[in-house]
Amino acid sequence: MYSAKMQVCGLITALSLFVCLGCGGSKVSQPASGSADSFVPLKDKPFSVAYADFNSDGRLDAAVAVKYAGIYVYFNREGHLDLSAPLIIRDLIEMPTAVAVGDFNGDGIQDIAATSEKFVGVAVNDGSGHFTNSGLHLNAPRYGFNMALADVNHDGITDIAVVGAMDREVYVYTSRGPLNFELKKVDLTGNAQQADLFAKTLSVGDIDNDGYADLIIPETFEPNVWLLRNKGASFSPAVILTTSMEQKVAYAVPLYYDVPTKTSYIAAVSGTADPKLEVITIGTSGAAAVAQRYRLPAGSPVHIDKISSTGTNNAGRLIITHDTALSFVSFDRDAITVSDQIIPLNSKCGGYGIMSAYNKDIHASLVVCRNTDGVAVVHLND
């Protein structure tokens, strides 16, 4: 149904860019509005944010990795993040650069994992928002700035994948029981097309609908995207998805798997001054191609988050974090809509390294700001 030769029947206006994949219907871009009306300065360089209900009150809380200070946990008070008095976990790991949440001891409670430039540590949550250092000190690739979590081997315990900016291997820790992990390194130098690797981000998702979480790793300085297929607690050799990207890829995320055509869809953002959203397709043969490109309304995209998704019609929304704004993408199996309307970030929030995650409980995006250092809550009205 869809291929690299998908028809374009778009209508470009001052308000929206609409592109129909296969021309299965018509859509109108929905305007996005909101404001970055809360900002908390953090002088010790925040790098990453993750969400979970840490105190079992049914509301989503936030954890921020602050490189020279520790992990800041902001609790949700009646639908609003309390930014005035965070819980600070100082002893988890030295100089954390990324934070993620998962259940690492199998008790059903969300714990915190953090990576630094060399190691990964885990803080165990007792269910009330009180954290204890597990004592785990797992080796990680050099200069790790991102991690992805999923139950890779289906044992009920969250596993850990970390990529390093100056390493040629991906470190995948699979659980052998509560707080017991086995390291499996995935070598990314075996492919003759690539002799070196510099990667800062990775994402996780079931690319081929086989029930196992796969890894997607874009390179930082090359227009390449790697796919690590999970065959059940082990990953096949790294494969370059495509070298037909126009510019280097900032971030890539699974979009959906189309069952009728047995085609995987991945969304990737690339470029700085003239950024694009590129839709990558992978067919049953494993061949990958850039199916479509869409111009984004703001520059320097650095992250994508899937803020909503439904099981019907492969529909959902993406929020893209740029260095000065947030923009939005709606998708389903018939069409992709890139909104031209953006939410400008507070001037204090601009600069390299912004990351965000969407908190559906407070209908807002918490953005990690690197100039001036801090966090901003961007409230969404659409």
Side-chain angles (χ1 to χ4, degrees), residues 27 29 94 105 126 130 178 186 204 211 224 239 255 324 358 375:
K27 287 189 173 295
S29 172
E94 185 179 2
N105 57 2
D126 67 359
H130 179 267
V186 183
V204 62
N224 298 321
V239 176
L255 201 57
T324 58
Y358 177 73
V375 294

Side-chain angles (χ1 to χ4, degrees), residues 187-359:
D187 184 8
L188 300 184
T189 60
N191 194 306
Q193 294 177 273
Q194 183 66 30
D196 203 353
L197 177 78
F198 191 98
K200 294 176 65 175
T201 66
L202 76 164
S203 61
V204 62
D206 184 3
I207 296 299
D208 46 14
N209 202 40
D210 65 353
Y212 290 102
D214 309 300
L215 297 176
I216 301 173
I217 304 174
E219 293 193 41
T220 301
F221 295 126
E222 298 292 336
N224 298 321
V225 180
W226 296 67
L227 171 63
L228 279 63
R229 290 187 184 273
N230 181 5
K231 299 305 179 183
S234 64
F235 289 88
S236 63
V239 176
I240 292 180
L241 288 179
T242 177
T243 56
S244 61
M245 316 297 289
E246 285 190 335
Q247 306 172 90
K248 67 179 183 180
V249 181
Y251 204 81
V253 64
L255 201 57
Y256 61 85
Y257 179 81
D258 188 58
V259 175
T261 61
K262 297 181 180 179
T263 302
S264 303
Y265 286 79
I266 294 171
V269 290
S270 63
T272 52
D274 185 24
K276 306 288 197 311
L277 169 73
E278 300 183 282
V279 178
I280 303 170
T281 60
I282 310 172
T284 54
S285 67
V290 176
Q292 290 293 339
R293 293 186 176 93
Y294 310 92
R295 180 166 282 106
L296 294 172
S300 302
V302 294
H303 201 263
I304 313 176
D305 294 287
K306 189 179 293 186
I307 62 176
S308 64
S309 183
T310 66
T312 60
N313 210 31
N314 298 318
R317 295 188 70 206
L318 302 173
I319 182 171
I320 300 175
T321 306
H322 306 260
D323 62 355
T324 58
L326 301 180
S327 65
F328 301 88
V329 174
S330 298
F331 66 88
D332 60 29
R333 60 180 299 187
D334 293 322
I336 286 182
T337 303
V338 179
S339 173
D340 265 4
Q341 292 197 348
I342 62 174
I343 300 178
L345 295 174
N346 189 299
S347 60
K348 295 180 180 179
C349 207
Y352 174 78
I354 293 176
M355 307 291 277
S356 77
Y358 177 73
N359 188 328

Side-chain angles (χ1 to χ4, degrees), residues 31-207:
S33 61
S35 61
D37 55 8
S38 300
F39 178 83
V40 177
L42 293 172
K43 64 180 180 180
D44 293 315
K45 296 196 178 300
F47 267 79
S48 173
V49 60
Y51 292 121
D53 178 8
F54 295 125
N55 56 3
S56 305
D57 65 353
R59 299 182 183 275
L60 291 176
D61 310 301
V64 178
V66 185
K67 186 173 183 179
Y68 298 107
I71 306 299
Y72 282 49
V73 179
Y74 297 98
F75 291 101
N76 192 326
R77 313 294 185 192
E78 299 182 353
H80 299 279
L81 290 178
D82 183 358
L83 302 176
S84 63
L87 169 69
I88 304 177
I89 306 173
R90 300 186 185 276
D91 63 346
L92 177 57
I93 197 166
E94 185 179 2
M95 295 191 296
T97 52
V99 63
V101 297
D103 179 11
F104 303 105
N105 57 2
D107 63 358
I109 299 171
Q110 294 296 292
D111 309 308
I112 288 177
T115 186
S116 68
E117 297 179 354
K118 295 181 180 179
F119 301 103
V120 174
V122 171
V124 176
N125 182 12
D126 67 359
S128 67
H130 179 267
F131 294 89
T132 303
N133 191 336
S134 68
L136 287 177
H137 206 235
L138 308 174
N139 290 326
R142 292 174 296 168
Y143 301 103
F145 291 99
N146 201 206
M147 62 196 310
L149 304 181
D151 185 0
V152 169
N153 55 6
H154 291 188
D155 68 347
I157 296 176
T158 305
D159 306 305
I160 303 169
V162 191
V163 65
M166 299 189 67
D167 208 305
R168 300 181 182 184
E169 296 174 313
V170 178
Y171 285 41
V172 180
Y173 283 96
T174 55
S175 70
R176 296 180 294 188
L179 297 175
N180 184 2
F181 292 92
E182 176 184 5
L183 173 59
K184 299 178 180 179
K185 296 182 181 181
V186 183
D187 184 8
L188 300 184
T189 60
N191 194 306
Q193 294 177 273
Q194 183 66 30
D196 203 353
L197 177 78
F198 191 98
K200 294 176 65 175
T201 66
L202 76 164
S203 61
V204 62
D206 184 3
I207 296 299

